[in-house]
Amino acid sequence: MRSLERLLRPRTVAVIGGGSWCRNVLRECRKAGFEGDLWPIHPSREEIDGCRAYATVEDLPAAPDAVFIGVNRHVTVEIVRSLSRLGAGGAICFASGFSEAIRELADGADLQAALIEAAGEMPILGPNCYGFLNALDGAALWPDQHGLTPVDRGVAIIAQSSNIALNLTMQTRGLPIAYLMTAGNQAQTGLSAIGSALLDDDRVTAIGLHIEGLDDLAAFEAFARKAHALGKPVVAVKVGRSEAAQAATVSHTAALAGSTAGSDALFNRLGIARVGSLTALLETLKLVHVTGPLPSTNIVSMSCSGGEASLIADTAVGRRITFPPLVPAQRTALSEALGPKVALANPLDYHTYIWGDGEAMTRCYTAMMQADIALGIVILDIPRMDRCDPEDWLKVIEPVEAAMKASGKPMAILSSLPETMPEAFAADLMKRGLVPLCGLDDALTAIEAAAFLARPLSPEPIRVPQAVADPRLLSEHEAKALLQKHGLKVPASTFAEGPEAAARAAEDIGYPVVLKGTGIAHKTEAGAVALNLQSACDVHSAASGMPASSFLVEEMITASLGELLVGIVRDPAHGYVLTLAAGGILTELLEDSTSLIVPAGEDEIKKALENLKIGRVLTGYRGKPPCDLGAIVEAVQAVQAFVLSAPVEEVEINPLLCGADFAVAADALVRMGGN
């Protein structure tokens, strides 16, 4: 596929179709200040909306850079073929009824295949796509109203929903949006290719994503690494459920790795900050547009109200936000600026004694920035400008700007309500280099995200999972034998047919032993596990009462201090997802899990284990000895090595028994392809 350069930054725009959608593209280009040629195409009209019309693509004066195709789906395919032959720069396919509608239209998939073939090397966006807005160059291949205004630099947003994209253009938060892109059903050109092309524009400072599903895992990784190398933060809202939860249903791992776990792990691996709402997306983009990634979540908060100081402190509870205690230099400078009546703390209620005194306010704000601070916040809510006079409130701005310049550290003005940050006020703050943040919760989310974006990326490439043909569930004995070859420690065991053979096997292994009925996925629930058997008679009796005819007899691992679940699921959308969780009966009870992308490094695994609730048990809790964390990490790496060497659909160790000097897989489940 050719570069998207001509499509995204066109000098000539053709519009095909005569309906209101197409006329609006012409109007929006004019409104945005597009200085190039506009060429409407219609078989029977000589003029459309003041522009000379051409009967066919072949009648155009030259091959257009960008084309909006607003005709039905069948005609769209033929027009794309003509444009490709002509050498057009690219096209927007507005029509729907392709692969996104295969449940409703039997020919949807075939028509999409025809569309891709017709395009050849010519880039196309869509189908089922609204197009895009380029507010830097005035190109608006967009069939509807929108809220963007011209900017010199700003963020780019890519959305897979055209309606959500439209809504985002209506934001009044002061965020400069340079590009607003929609991807449609990504028939040919996906989110990753669009994002990569936008990164090439020096005027783009950061990228926001609304994602329903990834187009290509390898391409998405390449896009994310390119963004990181260029120092352009990427922030995402991801919706939809992971395919892993639907594809794999045998193990606990499949459930734990479902929903958002796979995408969270992928974004963490690739340095993409994930937020949970569109408002948080906008606030985070605003922050990183001005400041870039933050070195930490150390912040100071200043307000003239104890209520606001308490509210921001409470809002930060449970987050990775820190309000460092004041250091002596801060206290001395604050006392000089505020006098003896003000209690000094962070968050700071500086009262109103100095309100309107620009010099004193500057000294106060500057004093608060004299420590290891990533961002200074001044809480300020502007009164309704249609009913009130905001003049006294505006006296805060110049002192904050002066403190920012004096300290050399970024500062923000935060309105506790979005309604109390007028758009014109927010835009003025942006021009001054101050961050206008709206809403306490979204602001703190943005700060957490901006600090996350400063983390270095893992150099280890993601392994793109291949499809597994006809996966089958291995017996526990088979599963453990394969895993043992890759370094996983397992108990000594023997496979036995019938109670008598099981009793003899126990004598050979030595007591105590564990007896398990084979051919059952969840043995405990089925009554097919017996622990701590001390004699042949115990083994024979337990075997006779189980719903099984064959058995696995294993040595009983004693002195275990904790139990873990270690599992990996092949997730086509996000890679191999490694899940670490509390194991045994605690898996469901504690809901204590975390997910990583395979392969995960030693330090990454250790940190993930320590962050689990059960992590305190692993490191020694209330005088108990710690588990051998090195042995646990070796066990996890052994499972990873196995998955990366074979066509594995899923693997689960539950429990991994963890002791002071061992980590042994007491149970193993493997579903894989091959003979």
Side-chain angles (χ1 to χ4, degrees), residues 69 73 76 92-101 112 115 125-131 159-163 182-187 212:
I69 305 174
R73 62 195 186 113
T76 292
I92 310 300
C93 298
F94 181 56
S96 59
F98 293 82
S99 284
E100 82 284 354
Q112 180 149 313
L115 178 68
L125 300 186
N128 192 29
C129 174
Y130 245 42
Q160 285 182 253
S161 163
S162 295
N163 203 56
T182 61
N185 71 11
Q186 307 181 87
E212 295 173 352

Side-chain angles (χ1 to χ4, degrees), residues 256-591:
L256 293 173
S259 188
T260 61
S263 55
D264 278 347
L266 178 66
F267 292 166
N268 286 342
R269 179 65 165 268
L270 296 179
I272 295 173
R274 178 171 182 171
V275 295
S277 68
L278 296 178
T279 54
L281 175 71
L282 294 171
E283 293 306 305
T284 305
L285 288 173
K286 209 189 305 178
L287 178 59
V288 297
H289 168 74
V290 177
T291 70
L294 295 177
S296 73
T297 56
N298 290 348
I299 65 173
V300 292
S301 172
M302 299 158 271
S303 63
C304 66
S305 160
E308 291 170 341
S310 298
L311 190 57
I312 193 170
D314 285 354
T315 306
V317 172
R319 297 175 176 272
R320 295 180 296 275
I321 298 289
T322 53
F323 296 95
L326 300 180
V327 300
Q330 287 172 300
R331 289 185 172 278
T332 299
L334 285 169
S335 294
E336 293 174 356
L338 298 173
K341 296 182 180 180
V342 176
L344 304 182
N346 180 25
L348 175 68
D349 167 18
Y350 61 84
H351 295 264
T352 56
Y353 302 121
I354 61 171
W355 195 270
D357 183 340
E359 182 182 351
M361 295 173 84
T362 299
R363 285 190 284 128
C364 170
Y365 301 151
T366 303
M368 284 293 282
M369 301 299 292
Q370 295 180 26
D372 180 19
I373 302 300
L375 180 71
I377 293 174
V378 176
I379 300 176
L380 181 68
D381 289 85
I382 301 298
R384 289 185 57 142
M385 300 182 74
D386 58 339
R387 299 178 183 176
C388 306
D389 183 356
E391 186 62 32
D392 285 341
W393 279 258
L394 300 180
K395 294 176 181 177
V396 171
I397 309 308
E398 290 187 0
V400 175
E401 184 180 7
M404 176 187 67
K405 292 177 179 177
S407 67
K409 297 174 182 176
M411 295 191 70
I413 289 184
L414 167 60
S415 64
S416 56
L417 298 174
E419 294 86 351
T420 53
M421 177 70 73
E423 184 176 20
F425 177 66
D428 177 64
L429 294 179
M430 295 286 273
K431 290 178 182 178
R432 296 171 183 262
L434 298 169
V435 187
L437 293 174
C438 305
L440 295 173
D441 193 69
D442 285 338
L444 295 185
T445 296
I447 293 167
E448 287 182 296
F452 166 82
L453 287 162
R455 299 190 326 174
L457 286 191
S458 166
E460 189 71 33
I462 293 171
R463 306 297 178 90
V464 178
Q466 302 300 311
V468 176
D470 301 320
R472 69 181 183 92
L473 184 65
L474 305 188
S475 71
E476 182 181 346
H477 193 58
E478 289 178 293
K480 284 181 173 175
L482 284 173
L483 288 161
Q484 189 176 28
K485 289 180 181 178
H486 288 82
L488 184 67
K489 292 180 171 57
V490 300
S493 65
T494 299
F495 178 78
E497 291 281 359
E500 291 79 8
R504 289 193 299 271
E507 291 289 325
D508 294 336
I509 291 173
Y511 299 101
V513 297
V514 176
L515 182 71
K516 301 176 182 178
T518 62
I520 301 170
H522 298 299
K523 300 177 183 66
T524 301
E525 291 87 338
V529 176
L531 306 176
N532 202 28
L533 302 178
Q534 300 287 341
S535 68
C537 182
D538 290 343
V539 173
H540 190 284
S541 176
S544 298
M546 286 185 183
S549 59
S550 58
F551 305 92
L552 194 63
V553 186
E554 292 187 334
E555 68 172 310
M556 177 82 178
I557 304 298
T558 58
S560 173
L561 298 169
E563 298 183 357
L564 286 172
L565 176 150
V566 178
I568 297 176
V569 170
R570 185 186 72 87
D571 181 347
H574 306 117
Y576 292 105
V577 180
L578 164 66
T579 297
L580 304 172
I585 62 172
L586 297 180
T587 300
E588 291 93 347
L589 290 176
L590 290 186
E591 296 182 349

Side-chain angles (χ1 to χ4, degrees), residues 72-352:
N72 74 59
R73 62 195 186 113
H74 294 285
V75 177
T76 292
V77 174
E78 296 312 311
I79 288 176
V80 164
R81 192 181 308 279
S82 297
L83 289 169
S84 180
R85 287 199 203 101
L86 191 63
I92 310 300
C93 298
F94 181 56
S96 59
F98 293 82
S99 284
E100 82 284 354
I102 56 176
R103 293 182 181 178
E104 296 82 17
L105 298 171
D107 64 345
D110 291 340
L111 199 61
Q112 180 149 313
L115 178 68
I116 295 169
E117 184 274 328
E121 292 297 308
M122 182 185 75
I124 56 172
L125 300 186
N128 192 29
C129 174
Y130 245 42
F132 69 88
L133 297 164
N134 174 349
L136 298 164
D137 305 305
L141 279 84
W142 190 260
D144 206 340
Q145 301 180 83
H146 64 86
L148 296 196
T149 56
V151 297
D152 295 325
R153 61 191 292 272
V155 305
I157 298 177
I158 311 170
Q160 285 182 253
S161 163
S162 295
N163 203 56
I164 284 178
L166 175 62
N167 295 341
L168 288 172
T169 73
M170 304 301 175
Q171 60 90 23
T172 59
R173 296 166 179 256
L175 175 66
I177 300 177
Y179 288 93
L180 194 289
M181 308 289 304
T182 61
N185 71 11
Q186 307 181 87
Q188 178 220 60
T189 305
L191 178 148
S192 304
I194 296 170
S196 183
L198 294 173
L199 289 171
D200 292 333
D201 194 323
D202 292 338
R203 300 166 295 177
V204 171
T205 58
I207 291 186
L209 305 174
H210 162 262
I211 304 174
E212 295 173 352
L214 297 181
D215 55 329
D216 179 280
L217 182 55
F220 189 71
E221 179 183 12
F223 154 68
R225 292 190 181 279
K226 179 178 179 179
H228 192 268
L230 292 173
K232 297 188 178 186
V234 181
V235 188
V237 173
K238 171 70 168 65
V239 298
R241 297 187 64 83
S242 165
E243 294 178 34
Q246 301 166 17
T249 58
V250 174
S251 65
H252 292 106
T253 301
L256 293 173
S259 188
T260 61
S263 55
D264 278 347
L266 178 66
F267 292 166
N268 286 342
R269 179 65 165 268
L270 296 179
I272 295 173
R274 178 171 182 171
V275 295
S277 68
L278 296 178
T279 54
L281 175 71
L282 294 171
E283 293 306 305
T284 305
L285 288 173
K286 209 189 305 178
L287 178 59
V288 297
H289 168 74
V290 177
T291 70
L294 295 177
S296 73
T297 56
N298 290 348
I299 65 173
V300 292
S301 172
M302 299 158 271
S303 63
C304 66
S305 160
E308 291 170 341
S310 298
L311 190 57
I312 193 170
D314 285 354
T315 306
V317 172
R319 297 175 176 272
R320 295 180 296 275
I321 298 289
T322 53
F323 296 95
L326 300 180
V327 300
Q330 287 172 300
R331 289 185 172 278
T332 299
L334 285 169
S335 294
E336 293 174 356
L338 298 173
K341 296 182 180 180
V342 176
L344 304 182
N346 180 25
L348 175 68
D349 167 18
Y350 61 84
H351 295 264
T352 56

Side-chain angles (χ1 to χ4, degrees), residues 564 566 578 580 594 596-612 618 629-630 632-638 640:
L564 286 172
V566 178
L578 164 66
L580 304 172
T594 188
L596 305 170
I597 294 297
V598 174
E602 179 179 340
D603 290 342
E604 190 178 7
I605 295 168
K606 282 183 178 178
K607 185 175 180 181
L609 290 168
E610 290 167 354
N611 286 337
L612 291 171
L618 302 179
L629 205 58
I632 297 172
V633 172
E634 286 180 9
V636 175
Q637 290 177 322
Q640 289 191 120

